[in-house]
Amino acid sequence: MSSHTSSHTLPDLPYDYGDLEPVISAEIMRLHHTKHHQGYVQKLIESLEKYADAEKRGALSEMVALQQSIRFNAGGHINHTLFWKSLCPPSRSQGQPGGKLAECLARDFGSFEKFQREFQAKTVAIQGSGWSWLGWSTQKERLEIACLPNQDPLSTVHLLPLFGVDVWEHAYYLQYQNLRPKYVEAIWSILDWVEIAKRWEEAT
Ligand code: MN3
């Protein structure tokens, strides 16, 4: 394995699997991290190795054929790495942001509650598997909500991700079954706004 591809590894969680209960069960967290996220990392490494090999041989059609797998698995790795870091135990969550991020959310959405309602509605309405995000547009200098299918990372729509909600069924089905709105509603109480604000301040 080349040093280039072996740098992609499953990150440790900043808390234990059971720490997000009762919002997300330990069982979901363990499977999501050690099976799903690990799977994206593994397939990303394999696809990048095949790509490097095809590139060495100048095999353009093989390179193009590998791009979908790289997009999907790299997206999965990027998205989940951000997801884990944006969450925290309910006892540590601040409920809503403070400081400049709170001001910017109020400027761009009217109020935190209006942002929350819009985010909730758009997230619940995603068809099939995907993610919803709060992102920062460097070009427009404003906060935006974006919903993307599959594992497409926010960079594909030229936004910097601040936090995302995974609405693949593997993220909630064992606990919430078909009730995606209940899962999305509950996730507000485990967002780490200090971490999210830090990410935004680094981006702006
Ligand atoms: Mn997932």
Side-chain angles (χ1 to χ4, degrees), residues 39-181:
Y40 300 123
V41 172
Q42 194 51 45
K43 288 184 192 120
L44 171 63
I45 291 168
E46 289 165 14
S47 300
L48 288 175
E49 283 174 352
K50 285 185 196 158
Y51 190 90
D53 177 64
E55 194 175 27
K56 222 178 292 164
R57 292 180 283 109
L60 282 178
S61 57
E62 286 179 44
M63 289 163 67
V64 172
L66 284 161
Q67 282 173 356
Q68 180 52 31
S69 173
I70 293 170
R71 178 185 179 119
F72 183 79
N73 291 296
H77 183 34
I78 292 165
N79 291 346
H80 287 86
T81 299
L82 271 166
F83 185 55
W84 310 133
K85 284 199 287 192
S86 305
L87 303 177
C88 66
S91 61
R92 277 212 349 251
S93 176
Q94 305 80 15
Q96 49 177 285
K100 285 185 188 158
L101 180 56
E103 287 169 26
C104 197
L105 276 166
R107 185 198 72 180
D108 294 342
F109 294 96
S111 66
F112 178 73
E113 289 70 27
K114 281 184 182 163
F115 157 69
Q116 214 175 9
R117 275 202 299 274
E118 189 180 330
F119 190 94
Q120 174 85 20
K122 286 182 169 169
T123 307
V124 167
I126 292 173
Q127 294 182 335
S129 298
W131 291 73
S132 62
W133 295 92
L134 173 65
W136 173 253
S137 168
T138 306
Q139 206 189 350
K140 298 184 212 158
E141 293 197 317
R142 58 160 292 158
L143 296 163
E144 292 185 0
I145 295 169
C147 300
L148 296 183
N150 304 314
Q151 296 293 355
D152 287 358
L154 215 48
S155 59
T156 58
V157 290
H158 309 290
L159 293 172
L160 294 161
L162 301 187
F163 80 88
V165 176
D166 186 348
V167 294
W168 281 59
E169 285 187 344
H170 68 228
Y172 63 89
Y173 206 87
L174 282 175
Q175 193 177 352
Y176 294 88
Q177 288 84 43
N178 59 317
L179 304 178
R180 184 191 282 179

